[in-house]
């Protein structure tokens, strides 16, 4: 492998902040209020970057997070597919799990996550202040 930058020698992890937009409204959030944030990073550019960096460094893990990254699922999928195709063994998604009330959209997102071979999904352990009550149940996949 030939490093892209001679000053970066031990790069083994890539992290992407997908968006600052969030469904939470958590008082403890260090990011603050992002009501005007609705955009995400460019999916194609990010996926291309994953491919190029993985060709030049021994990348062992990749993480996507936000705001709420699943507000832009196509971006998350593109990045994780590129990581899978590049042979990055550990692929993580940090999400609060609350990106839609539409059951069809949630099922589609779960299926696409499975297809992109996420190896680790980490739901945040607290309920956002925007939720009056609620619960979280696991997601299981076969095969």
């Amino acid at each position: 492998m030939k490093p892209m930058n001679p000053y970066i020698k031990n790069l083994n992890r890539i992290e992407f902040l997908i968006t600052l937009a969030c469904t939470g409204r958590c008082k403890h959030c260090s990011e603050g209020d992002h009501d005007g944030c609705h955009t995400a990073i460019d999916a194609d550019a990010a996926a291309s970057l994953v491919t190029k960096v993985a060709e030049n460094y021994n990348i062992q893990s990749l993480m996507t997070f936000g705001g709420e990254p699943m507000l832009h699922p196509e971006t998350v999928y593109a990045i994780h597919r590129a990581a899978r195709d590049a042979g990055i063994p550990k692929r993580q998604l940090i999400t609060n799990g609350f990106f839609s009330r539409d059951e069809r959209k949630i099922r589609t997102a779960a299926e696409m996550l499975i297809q992109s071979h996420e190896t680790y999904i980490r739901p945040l352990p607290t309920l956002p202040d925007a939720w009056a009550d609620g619960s979280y149940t696991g997601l299981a996949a076969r095969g």
Side-chain angles (χ1 to χ4, degrees):
M1 289 182 211
K2 179 183 168 201
M4 298 169 74
N5 181 327
Y7 299 103
I8 300 174
K9 299 186 187 293
N10 297 317
L11 183 64
N12 64 6
R13 180 175 175 82
I14 304 171
E15 295 183 1
F16 284 98
L17 176 82
I18 303 298
T19 182
L20 291 176
C22 187
T23 55
R25 311 268 187 268
C26 303
K27 291 177 186 174
H28 64 274
C29 180
S30 63
E31 292 295 320
D33 183 13
H34 294 293
D35 286 337
C37 298
H38 302 291
T39 60
I41 62 173
D42 182 89
D44 293 332
S48 177
L49 180 68
V50 169
T51 301
K52 289 176 185 173
V53 171
E55 287 172 352
N56 291 282
Y57 295 93
N58 185 22
I59 304 299
Q60 294 299 303
S61 67
L62 174 134
M63 177 192 296
T64 52
F65 59 100
E68 174 47 56
M70 292 305 293
L71 290 172
H72 301 278
E74 294 79 14
T75 301
V76 173
Y77 308 140
I79 291 169
H80 284 272
R81 276 192 307 266
R84 178 199 63 205
D85 294 346
I88 298 173
K90 185 176 182 182
R91 298 175 303 278
Q92 301 168 299
L93 165 63
I94 296 179
T95 176
N96 68 20
F98 188 71
F99 58 92
S100 178
R101 292 183 189 267
D102 180 342
E103 287 186 34
R104 191 174 85 163
K105 185 175 181 178
I106 294 167
R107 276 194 299 274
T108 300
E111 178 64 27
M112 291 184 84
L113 287 173
I114 291 166
Q115 289 176 9
S116 66
H117 294 137
E118 299 294 334
T119 56
Y120 184 67
I121 299 173
R122 180 179 168 198
L124 297 177
T126 61
L127 289 175
D129 294 338
W131 292 0
D133 58 7
S135 64
Y136 177 80
T137 57
L139 172 67
R142 294 184 195 155

